[in-house]
């Protein structure tokens, strides 16, 4: 039996990845041409899969697709939290907290603070609760397997820089 080479779409999943790339992440096709051409700024590539390893890559592809769906869910939670911040702050904190268990990105906190400046300025207690929540969540994420691959020193530096920035934004 001849097992032909297949191709798998890979993209670097983060808060900037577009929805098209997320929808293709992990998918396997017989032909390279089946994938959309990368014209956006996402870091994407098409991997060749040896036919005999197809099963392994299919399993991996399922995990990759789950990760892509998780990123979409994370964004939706973060957006909803931001929308509710003024009127339903407790709800918003709960949603931010759920979103942060999936991942948390400092540039998104920067946008949030810029967009919700008035509410946060007028409400130091809320600002502080948010700060505590984000600092804790940001620190937690560097203990995840996804981030364990980074060299220790780099992980600590990134964690420290992120926490400093959050304290600066919401302090
Ligand atoms: Zn893209």
């Amino acid at each position: 039996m001849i097992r032909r080479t297949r191709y798998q779409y890979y993209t670097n999943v983060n808060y900037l990845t577009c929805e098209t790339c997320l929808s293709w992440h992990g998918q396997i096709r017989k032909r390279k041409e089946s994938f959309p051409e990368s014209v956006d700024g996402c870091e994407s590539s098409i991997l060749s899969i040896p036919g005999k390893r197809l099963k392994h890559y299919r399993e991996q592809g399922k995990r990759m697709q789950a990760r892509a769906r998780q990123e979409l869910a994370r964004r939706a939670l973060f957006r909803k939290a931001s929308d509710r911040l003024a009127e339903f702050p407790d709800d918003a904190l709960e949603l931010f907290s759920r979103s942060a268990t999936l991942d948390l990105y400092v540039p998104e906190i920067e946008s949030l603070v810029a967009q919700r400046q008035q509410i946060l300025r007028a409400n130091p207690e809320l600002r502080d609760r948010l700060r505590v929540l984000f600092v804790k969540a940001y620190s937690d994420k560097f203990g995840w397997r996804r981030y364990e691959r980074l060299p220790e020193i780099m992980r600590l530096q990134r964690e420290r820089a992120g926490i400093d920035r959050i304290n600066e934004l919401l302090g």
Side-chain angles (χ1 to χ4, degrees):
M1 194 176 130
I2 304 164
R3 292 182 175 129
R4 295 222 177 115
T5 300
R6 302 288 165 98
Y7 300 92
Q8 185 171 40
Y9 196 86
Y10 171 88
T11 192
N12 184 24
V13 177
N14 61 39
Y15 71 103
L16 293 172
T17 317
C18 78
E19 293 192 10
T20 304
C21 290
L22 287 176
S23 72
W24 281 98
H25 186 53
Q27 292 212 48
I28 296 171
R29 292 289 183 274
K30 286 180 184 163
R31 289 160 8 102
K32 266 185 176 174
E33 297 72 37
S34 306
F35 296 111
E37 253 184 84
S38 183
V39 286
D40 55 32
C42 303
E43 240 179 86
S44 301
S45 45
I46 294 165
L47 314 171
S48 298
I49 301 170
K52 59 181 179 192
R53 300 274 289 150
L54 188 57
K55 202 176 158 209
H56 167 81
Y57 282 91
R58 271 206 182 115
E59 289 301 314
Q60 190 157 300
K62 279 185 205 156
R63 287 194 294 272
M64 289 160 78
Q65 286 179 287
R67 169 89 182 93
R69 282 193 300 272
Q70 192 188 67
E71 171 54 20
L72 291 172
R74 187 199 67 77
R75 289 177 194 179
L77 285 166
F78 198 92
R79 260 198 312 272
K80 201 170 162 195
S82 173
D83 291 344
R84 302 204 131 204
L85 194 62
E87 269 185 282
F88 308 101
D90 288 326
D91 270 19
L93 284 161
E94 165 69 22
L95 292 163
F96 277 128
S97 171
R98 279 168 55 198
S99 165
T101 62
L102 302 175
D103 214 328
L104 180 64
Y105 298 95
V106 171
E108 285 194 339
I109 303 175
E110 288 171 341
S111 313
L112 171 75
V113 171
Q115 280 164 17
R116 300 286 176 251
Q117 224 173 47
Q118 276 185 319
I119 306 157
L120 294 169
R121 229 180 249 158
N123 202 332
E125 196 223 324
L126 177 62
R127 198 172 65 218
D128 198 55
R129 285 169 73 195
L130 256 188
R131 186 186 62 78
V132 171
L133 186 158
F134 285 145
V135 164
K136 164 98 175 52
Y138 200 76
S139 174
D140 285 350
K141 91 168 196 171
F142 286 91
W144 298 347
R145 263 181 64 197
R146 203 185 300 155
Y147 291 96
E148 267 174 13
R149 274 170 282 169
L150 293 173
E152 175 87 9
I153 186 93
M154 197 192 269
R155 215 165 68 203
L156 289 173
Q157 277 170 357
R158 277 173 59 175
E159 182 180 339
R160 192 67 255 164
I163 289 172
D164 287 348
R165 183 72 181 127
I166 295 167
N167 281 323
E168 188 187 339
L169 286 163
L170 292 162

